[in-house]
Structure formats: C-alpha cells, structure tokens
Amino acid sequence: MTPPPAKRDLVSLADIASDLPSLLERAARLKSERHRGVRRPTLAGKNLAMVFEKPSTRTRISFEVAMTDLGGHALYLSSRDLQLSRGETIADTARVLSRFVDGLTYRAFHHADLAELARAASVPVINALDDLEHPCQTVADLLTMHERWRGRFRGHRLAWVGDGNNVLHSLLLGAAAVGLDVTAATPVGFDPRADIVAKARELARASRARIELTHDPGEAARGADALYTDVWVSMGDEGEAEAREKAFERFRIDSALVALAAPEAFVLHDLPAHRGQEITNEVLDGPRAAVWDQAENRLHAQKAILELLLRPRSARARGR
Ligand code: CP
Ligand code: NVA
C-alpha cells in the first residue's frame, strides 16, 4: 500500500515560500467569488480546531468564517478551558486533537510550543501567531499589495517602521520570496532576529529582492511604495511597555512620514492599532490607509491557506 502523503504544516512563512504565487492567485479568486455570492464547499466535512492562548479578533474570526464558507467547521478552544491549563502536555493534546479533527491552528506565547504541537500532531498545524512569526498575516498583507500593484512585487519597496517583531519576521520572509524590496526601520535594540534576516536574504537571492535594515524611519519611508507598522508592545511584552514607549517615540507613521513616501504610497497595519502610538488617527482614518482591505484579506488568505494544507492536491487540481 502507498503510504499517505506527509502532512504539511505552516509554522514559519518559509514553509510556504514557494507556494505564495499560487496562494495569492487562489485567494484573489476566492475573494472575487465571495463578492459575487459564490461559495464552493471545497473543505466539506473537514474540522479545524483552533487553540488560542492569547486574544484575537481577526485571526479567530477569519479562520472560523473561512471554514464555514468552505463547507467545513471550526472549533474555538481557549487554552484556559482545555486540560492544557491543568498540565496536560502539548504533545498529548496534539495527539488527541489529531484523532478528532483534520487540522489545527495555534496562537501561542512561545514558538517552541508551536513547534512541539506541530511535531506531535498527525494533522496539519497552522501558526496563528507566536512570539516569532505571524505567517497567515503575511499572506493577507501580500494579497493587499498584490491587488494594489496589479500582481507586480518587483520594483516596489515596502518600508517597515516599528518593532522587529513576529509580524516583521514573517513579512521579511514573504517579501523576499516574492521579490518585494523591504527597508525595515527599528529602534536600536529592537532589530529583527538575525537568523530570520539571514533566511530572508537567502530567499531573496533567487527573487533578487533587497532586504535592508536601518534605525532611521525617515530613511526607510523616503520614496517607499507602502508603509507598514505594528504595535510597539506585542502580546507578551507588556512588562516592557514603559521602556518600549520611550524607545519607539520616533517610530510612528504620521502625516509627515507619509509625505516622504511615493505619491501613491499606501499604509498598512495588521491591527489592532494603538491609535496615537505607532500610527496617528489622521493616517489610520485617512485616504492612504489600506488597512481595512488588509483586514478583510485575512479571510480570503486564510481560505487559500486552509485549502492548501487540508485538501489533497488532486482535489485542489480538480476543483479549479
Ligand atoms: N492581525 C491580527 O492577527 O489580529 P488579531 O490579533 O485580532 O487576530
Ligand atoms: N505583534 C502583535 C501582532 C498582533 C496581531 C502581537 O504579537 O501582539
């Protein structure tokens, strides 16, 4: 008997680097179908368990609606209500959940816990954010840029202004994979992790993307085609809030910073925003903000990701 194909996880954005062009095409198609009221039950009968250790609005709801739209079902599981909270191990939880469902998503404080769940589960595991990466966010971010630049990443440059955090890590890997130039401006001491930057530069060798780091927000923003920021204090970093607020004071997207960017440049934020900190009301509520499209795109991106991991290749090929 032929063994079943190995399951695929999305722990790091690098796990789907070579799938990005087809994922983005698929997400764009699913978006246009949904806007026309078309729903296809490509994941009929599939169940997704979603384990969350931290709050979520967009990720949780987009996964849940995506599964319903695709004919499947999603179960929201707060880690506080699982036996995990009473000491059952992550590996044992993974083994049991794998007997019930077809896929798992996990929002974890620690990347090592996510990796452990993925190792022990016999079904695909999707990273719904941890302290190292937020890969599903990147797929929606790339979809947003893809639609505004009519599918062309090459020749465009994205400026990141803020923390060298999970969202930036996945974004660097994704941008490098598709050939988008990135200049990331972070305060001294809050740079992205060196191993992630090295991995992004390795991916960028094939795509010829330029991945640059600076400590000067103005340098990053000057002439950029899109600006992106995220909160100064991520979930889990609350103990450092005061020190971070001081360190990040110059790393805010305001009208003056937007004025340095290209005339058609738009502004991204993964949300939730801390209005008045990393982004001003004027920019977030203004005509340059692409953030509401970006938030909607979480749904379409999630569907493409779920189909890729939960649906056999043969069925995907027949269904398009
Ligand atoms: N951007 C994002 O992941 O939002 P949530 O924390 O609301 O899921
Ligand atoms: N960097 C933020 C992203 C929230 C969606 C955090 O980890 O809290």
Side-chain angles (χ1 to χ4, degrees):
M1 223 167 66
T2 347
K7 62 133 182 175
R8 279 192 73 182
D9 300 316
L10 171 48
V11 171
S12 164
L13 191 286
D15 297 334
I16 53 162
S18 60
D19 299 287
L20 283 171
S22 60
L23 262 182
L24 295 174
E25 290 302 329
R26 181 64 182 154
R29 178 157 171 187
L30 287 162
K31 179 172 185 173
S32 112
E33 287 184 351
R34 191 174 205 266
H35 286 186
R36 286 182 281 118
V38 177
R39 304 271 206 285
R40 292 183 208 283
T42 53
L43 293 182
K46 302 276 187 194
N47 287 297
L48 179 75
M50 313 191 295
V51 179
F52 280 77
E53 291 180 358
K54 308 182 195 178
S56 170
T57 297
R58 283 141 287 268
T59 308
R60 171 186 175 176
I61 297 169
S62 57
F63 268 123
E64 191 160 334
V65 174
M67 283 304 286
T68 304
D69 274 6
L70 297 175
H73 180 66
L75 300 95
Y76 173 75
L77 306 167
S78 161
S79 60
R80 279 192 305 275
D81 301 331
L82 297 174
Q83 295 287 11
L84 268 174
S85 64
R86 296 183 54 254
E88 186 167 18
T89 67
I90 290 173
D92 289 351
T93 304
R95 290 184 190 109
V96 172
L97 290 178
S98 297
R99 298 291 180 106
F100 293 134
V101 300
D102 305 283
L104 297 171
T105 68
Y106 186 21
R107 173 165 284 195
F109 277 101
H110 304 294
H111 182 73
D113 290 345
L114 202 110
E116 189 180 345
L117 188 89
R119 263 195 310 276
S122 57
V123 296
V125 170
I126 301 174
N127 183 346
L129 178 148
D130 61 24
D131 54 345
L132 186 64
E133 284 207 45
H134 194 5
C136 298
Q137 179 68 51
T138 296
V139 180
D141 301 341
L142 292 175
L143 178 60
T144 310
M145 294 182 256
H146 187 265
E147 55 198 11
R148 286 180 183 242
W149 295 329
R150 296 177 209 288
R152 285 207 335 270
F153 291 111
R154 280 218 178 81
H156 288 106
R157 186 171 63 83
L158 172 68
W160 174 273
V161 176
D163 194 10
N165 66 12
N166 47 4
V167 173
L168 175 61
H169 287 157
S170 292
L171 191 63
L172 288 174
L173 296 168
V178 300
L180 169 64
D181 296 342
V182 181
T183 311
T186 57
V188 173
F190 295 93
D191 310 64
R193 256 177 49 169
D195 56 339
I196 299 272
V197 175
K199 176 77 191 161
R201 289 195 168 132
E202 190 187 313
L203 287 167
R205 272 207 292 276
S207 72
R208 299 201 306 277
R210 291 165 66 99
I211 303 295
E212 285 167 345
L213 306 181
T214 171
H215 297 299
D216 178 355
E219 182 191 328
R222 201 160 290 114
D225 300 295
L227 304 176
Y228 196 147
T229 192
D230 184 20
V231 291
W232 293 346
V233 182
S234 282
M235 294 179 275
D237 291 337
E238 291 79 1
E240 302 172 3
E242 211 179 310
R244 283 175 168 267
E245 280 159 27
K246 280 203 193 89
F248 283 81
E249 187 49 40
R250 287 189 313 117
F251 291 75
R252 173 181 295 115
I253 299 190
D254 57 15
S255 300
L257 200 75
V258 175
L260 296 177
E264 301 298 316
F266 52 89
V267 175
L268 299 164
H269 190 310
D270 49 301
L271 303 177
H274 285 65
R275 289 169 173 265
Q277 285 202 346
E278 76 277 1
I279 191 162
T280 60
N281 283 332
E282 197 184 357
V283 173
L284 194 59
D285 297 329
R288 311 292 281 275
V291 299
W292 316 114
D293 287 343
Q294 185 186 4
E296 178 192 328
N297 283 341
R298 292 297 306 276
L299 172 62
H300 313 299
Q302 229 74 289
K303 286 184 185 173
I305 292 167
L306 287 164
E307 283 188 348
L308 176 72
L309 300 181
L310 267 54
R311 197 164 168 239
R313 184 187 290 271
S314 53
R316 289 204 311 278
R318 277 198 307 277
R320 290 185 196 175

